[in-house]
Amino acid sequence: RPPTRATKPKKAPKREKLYPESPPPPPDVVRESCPPLGLETLKITDFQLHASTVKRYGLGAHRGRLNIQAGINENDFYDGAWCAGRNDLHQWIEVDARRLTRFTGVITQGRNSLWLSDWVTSYKVMVSNDSHTWVTVKNGSGDMIFEGNSEKEIPVLNELPVPMVARYIRINPQSWLDNGSICLRMEILGCPLPDPNNYYHRRNEMTTTDDLDFKHHNYKEMRQLMKVVNEMCPNITRIYNIGKSHQGLKLYAVEISDHPGEHEVGEPEFHYIAGAHGNEVLGRELLLLLLQFLCQEYLAQNTRIVRLVEETRIHLVPSLNPDGYEKAYEGGSELGGWSLGRWTHDGIDINNNFPDLNTLLWEAEDRQNVPRKVPNHHIAIPEWFLSENATVAAETRAVIAWMEKIPFVLGGNLQGGELVVAYPYDMVRSAWKTQEHTPTPDDHVFRWLAYSYASTHRLMTDARRRVCHTEDFQKEEGTVNGASWHTVAGSLNDFSYLHTNCFELSIYVGCDKYPHESELPEEWENNRESLIVFMEQVHRGIKGLVRDLHGKGIPNAIISVEGVNHDVRTASDGDYWRLLNPGEYVVTAKAEGFTASTKNCMVGYDMGATRCDFALSKTNLARIREIMEKLGKPVSLPARRPRLRGRRRRQHGRQHG
């Protein structure tokens, strides 16, 4: 032993503590719990992970990260753990923290695999300052054996009996599942020691200058925070709820606008939703931070934010699945695994719980011989979905009612576990495929919207960035068509596009679904600019009013753009917004009982939608009806006209057929 101690003068005082079986510390000494080093968040790079042997590259040390997910094929470069090349007691995986660190604990998990069961059931822990001389963590006089996993997904935390200061830490498996292999994923808990001489570390530490409440907020704390912000900015905020969860928790929303509580004619409506999966909590905290930020900056008269608040009606729903969140919150940031709290209380995945309108649209398009064209927008929700006994979450119904009530133009739903922006369609058109590029008629607009978020995020379009799990989204610059990634029927994005006017995208804000509290300032810096830029995109394209000749707004008028097979409709005051990329468009407004009107509208590169108003005159038919009604005559005269027209159209169609 003495020589070991000699090579490590720095550790000498620490090591004394390892020998006696030290009694538990007195109650007044609270053991500091250190944050994760960042194997899961990728703060620890692949170069900092080493192993004794590996089964193959796809199971290398760089895959031994907590919660990493295997690719569909598993036997490729992206597998779900580090697996040793041999199964014996001499295997290890080590982390180089690159600086002295007070290590306090280790979290392990088995191999992520659909087919195989591999996990480590016990292990030793060793530390070193030079990666040559190793000290094993003791329990009294012998080496301490830590209890590992008993299945592959639930993370198990082991705290070291006393913190150890060192640069390297090694896990040395002692036993593993019968007939299985040595495979594990892990996270290390440790506090880096201050290193005043090292410029490299100081430079790499992200700080934020925003004075915000960087912590995880449970349901009560979230409600409290909303109240505080509402009191700070009573003139631009309003708290309301869109319904209740299965367990009766309110689904809170905060509105931010200069006239909270009312839809102003001509002002577009925008929303962010987070937490549809209760365990993807970064989105929830980002929205609570955004709420505080908008209020503070508005009060400080930041011109960009003032303009955004005055010209947009913004709605934030930070927690769409509060029941699931409460479950995940109990598990905490490191121990929830990949899916604890994902579903609603009654086991529904909100993200694909919406009616599948894609199939209705595509089947109708494929039939084509139907006499009446199926609408390419505002497709009705099928009857079965509305019935009481359909498997639809209370939370899903609440969102649908909310989206039908408010004329949203653009929305983002924040998710986690990946770093990419996904745009619709989310469902493939070919029934037998699981992945297929399936664009909407507005593909160019959606690509732009996705890129506007991804390109302003601090990491999303960084080509040097290591992929989160298996997918590399660099070829599309941090964006992806949902269906070409993995098909989902009944997604919020597809439903929103086909049932309402709202263009909705999924924004995956980070590899780690539930980052440690200490990561929140950096994650805020990563996403802040993108969150604002994306909201500003609601002012792209054209907007205007559709009125009759008396200047009265016409609700539910159809706005179509030549060459784009997707229309939008006017809101109850006759106002509309149509997201479009820069260019020149031929736009038509039509409404029941009015003669259609067509215009050329130019969309420029500057922010701010182009005004394109329409005044529609009543058709002769509608005028006759009005006169007849005034005179109190029965309106039987025009009833046959449409039928005739239908017959004529069919004959017409036959001639052309």
Side-chain angles (χ1 to χ4, degrees):
R1 292 200 180 284
T4 332
R5 193 175 292 177
T7 57
K8 295 179 123 181
K10 283 185 198 149
K11 290 278 309 282
K14 268 280 177 243
R15 289 205 37 218
E16 264 50 90
K17 291 185 190 165
L18 287 179
Y19 292 104
E21 242 184 337
S22 47
D28 56 322
V29 181
V30 177
R31 255 196 78 163
E32 175 195 18
S33 68
C34 285
L37 290 189
L39 276 82
E40 182 175 10
T41 58
L42 306 181
K43 241 188 166 124
I44 296 288
T45 66
D46 288 354
F47 301 112
Q48 288 170 268
L49 299 169
H50 303 279
S52 48
T53 59
V54 302
K55 214 172 206 143
R56 59 166 190 273
Y57 177 75
L59 293 163
H62 65 294
R63 302 298 293 173
R65 300 168 178 275
L66 190 71
N67 285 325
I68 207 160
Q69 302 295 296
I72 299 168
N73 304 326
E74 286 193 23
N75 56 358
D76 56 9
F77 283 169
Y78 300 110
D79 220 321
W82 160 67
C83 289
R86 295 192 295 276
N87 292 327
D88 59 37
L89 296 175
H90 306 300
Q91 304 307 311
W92 48 262
I93 179 169
E94 88 183 33
V95 181
D96 172 4
R98 288 197 176 150
R99 61 196 284 186
L100 281 183
T101 303
R102 180 158 62 261
F103 295 118
T104 59
V106 174
I107 299 170
T108 56
Q109 211 177 14
R111 172 178 179 176
N112 174 250
S113 165
L114 286 173
W115 329 111
L116 299 163
S117 293
D118 296 309
W119 58 81
V120 167
T121 51
S122 70
Y123 58 88
K124 293 180 182 179
V125 176
M126 306 156 150
V127 295
S128 166
N129 277 347
D130 56 8
S131 85
H132 296 295
T133 316
W134 292 88
V135 177
T136 306
V137 173
K138 299 280 183 231
N139 179 10
S141 56
D143 292 352
M144 181 152 184
I145 305 278
F146 293 92
E147 201 171 313
N149 300 80
S150 52
E151 55 86 83
K152 49 187 153 184
E153 287 300 333
I154 298 173
V156 172
L157 163 67
N158 276 300
E159 294 196 310
L160 304 186
V162 276
M164 307 282 282
V165 173
R167 173 175 162 175
Y168 299 88
I169 186 165
R170 217 175 237 197
I171 310 298
N172 165 219
Q174 294 296 298
S175 61
W176 45 94
L177 181 70
D178 291 347
N179 302 328
S181 303
I182 295 180
C183 293
L184 61 80
R185 293 176 284 168
M186 65 172 184
E187 181 62 85
I188 305 291
L189 304 182
C191 302
L193 297 189
D195 189 355
N197 310 326
N198 195 330
Y199 168 71
Y200 168 81
H201 297 312
R202 279 208 313 276
R203 191 191 59 198
N204 278 6
E205 272 157 21
M206 259 304 305
T207 49
T208 179
T209 52
D210 296 330
D211 177 23
L212 308 171
D213 188 18
F214 293 107
K215 69 185 277 284
H216 285 294
H217 298 79
N218 64 17
Y219 183 74
K220 257 166 79 178
E221 293 164 335
M222 172 177 82
R223 176 77 189 84
Q224 186 53 35
L225 179 67
M226 288 176 172
K227 234 176 105 182
V228 167
V229 173
N230 182 228
E231 282 160 10
M232 264 175 74
C233 291
N235 301 337
I236 60 159
T237 59
R238 174 178 77 103
I239 303 169
Y240 66 102
N241 70 71
I242 66 168
K244 284 189 173 165
S245 73
H246 184 277
Q247 295 289 83
L249 296 178
K250 287 180 178 161
L251 307 174
Y252 282 114
V254 182
E255 175 194 334
I256 304 156
S257 94
D258 55 347
H259 292 94
E262 57 180 291
H263 170 73
E264 292 177 69
V265 178
E267 188 171 286
E269 308 248 1
F270 175 93
H271 69 250
Y272 274 131
I273 299 171
H277 294 147
N279 61 333
E280 294 171 13
V281 308
L282 177 54
R284 169 196 184 104
E285 295 307 329
L286 287 174
L287 291 192
L288 293 176
L289 291 165
L290 179 64
L291 169 62
Q292 300 167 63
F293 180 78
L294 291 174
C295 167
Q296 288 180 9
E297 296 299 303
Y298 184 85
L299 294 177
Q301 291 296 297
N302 171 337
T303 46
R304 180 184 186 191
I305 299 303
V306 168
R307 195 173 145 202
L308 187 63
V309 170
E310 285 177 354
E311 295 178 5
T312 327
R313 190 172 175 219
I314 301 163
H315 303 256
L316 307 179
V317 177
S319 186
L320 186 55
N321 178 2
D323 300 350
Y325 177 82
E326 292 304 302
K327 267 191 208 137
Y329 187 77
E330 280 167 39
S333 115
E334 307 314 308
L335 301 180
W338 191 242
S339 54
L340 177 70
R342 174 187 176 92
W343 298 277
T344 62
H345 188 77
D346 46 346
I348 293 173
D349 185 333
I350 297 178
N351 206 36
N352 47 11
N353 189 221
F354 292 83
D356 162 18
L357 304 178
N358 304 51
T359 305
L360 293 178
L361 173 72
W362 293 336
E363 279 178 356
E365 283 181 357
D366 292 343
R367 281 201 305 270
Q368 264 175 2
N369 54 358
V370 275
R372 204 173 52 78
K373 252 187 91 186
V374 167
N376 58 16
H377 69 296
H378 283 242
I379 297 169
I381 294 175
E383 282 300 306
W384 66 263
F385 189 90
L386 300 169
S387 74
E388 279 301 299
N389 53 4
T391 314
V392 182
E395 296 86 347
T396 310
R397 293 201 192 276
V399 173
I400 292 176
W402 180 59
M403 290 173 70
E404 288 179 338
K405 195 169 81 189
I406 299 174
F408 290 117
V409 180
L410 176 62
N413 53 86
L414 305 187
Q415 302 192 40
E418 210 21 287
L419 202 51
V420 68
V421 182
Y423 54 90
Y425 290 122
D426 285 334
M427 180 180 172
V428 296
R429 192 159 181 164
S430 318
W432 60 92
K433 291 194 173 164
T434 54
Q435 293 177 308
E436 178 185 46
H437 182 73
T438 313
T440 61
D442 281 291
D443 195 49
H444 288 301
V445 178
F446 274 117
R447 281 170 178 245
W448 166 258
L449 292 168
Y451 183 67
S452 73
Y453 194 100
S455 60
T456 47
H457 186 281
R458 283 184 61 250
L459 298 172
M460 230 176 249
T461 47
D462 182 353
R464 298 179 312 251
R465 173 178 85 75
R466 182 194 183 289
V467 300
C468 288
H469 299 284
T470 59
E471 305 276 351
D472 184 1
F473 298 108
Q474 284 313 314
K475 54 186 178 299
E476 277 196 66
E477 309 252 24
T479 70
V480 68
N481 168 262
S484 70
W485 180 14
H486 53 236
T487 185
V488 170
S491 80
L492 170 56
N493 298 350
D494 290 6
F495 168 76
S496 178
Y497 183 68
L498 294 176
H499 183 68
T500 75
N501 290 335
C502 181
F503 285 29
E504 178 93 22
L505 291 85
S506 293
I507 300 165
Y508 291 80
V509 287
C511 303
D512 186 351
K513 291 183 176 182
Y514 196 151
H516 187 268
E517 210 146 85
S518 58
E519 298 292 322
L520 293 175
E522 181 165 348
E523 288 299 352
W524 167 244
E525 285 295 322
N526 286 344
N527 288 280
R528 178 186 59 201
E529 180 63 16
S530 321
L531 287 164
I532 297 164
V533 164
F534 188 73
M535 288 194 283
E536 289 170 337
Q537 301 315 307
V538 76
H539 297 287
R540 281 198 103 76
I542 56 174
K543 67 172 186 182
L545 280 165
V546 178
R547 288 179 283 213
D548 62 17
L549 297 182
H550 305 295
K552 189 171 172 300
I554 304 173
N556 223 20
I558 294 175
I559 305 292
S560 34
V561 176
E562 192 178 280
V564 183
N565 187 17
H566 181 82
D567 305 336
V568 299
R569 299 208 184 185
T570 57
S572 49
D573 301 299
D575 45 354
Y576 79 90
W577 305 263
R578 179 66 170 91
L579 295 173
L580 291 165
N581 286 347
E584 196 171 329
Y585 298 92
V586 178
V587 184
T588 304
K590 50 181 180 280
E592 189 80 16
F594 292 89
T595 310
S597 161
T598 300
K599 283 189 164 181
N600 278 355
C601 306
M602 244 333 258
V603 177
Y605 281 87
D606 297 337
M607 277 317 280
T610 307
R611 273 306 285 257
C612 230
D613 294 332
F614 293 88
L616 303 187
S617 54
K618 287 220 158 95
T619 58
N620 295 343
L621 186 60
R623 283 209 196 98
I624 292 170
R625 267 202 184 139
E626 260 176 22
I627 293 164
M628 301 291 272
E629 273 164 15
K630 267 193 192 130
L631 300 173
K633 296 262 172 71
V635 192
S636 57
L637 163 80
R640 288 198 48 207
R641 294 270 309 259
R643 239 178 286 151
L644 273 174
R645 222 183 295 147
R647 206 171 300 151
R648 250 185 243 142
R649 197 181 300 144
R650 276 197 290 271
Q651 287 163 354
H652 193 69
R654 273 196 214 108
Q655 290 157 11
H656 284 265

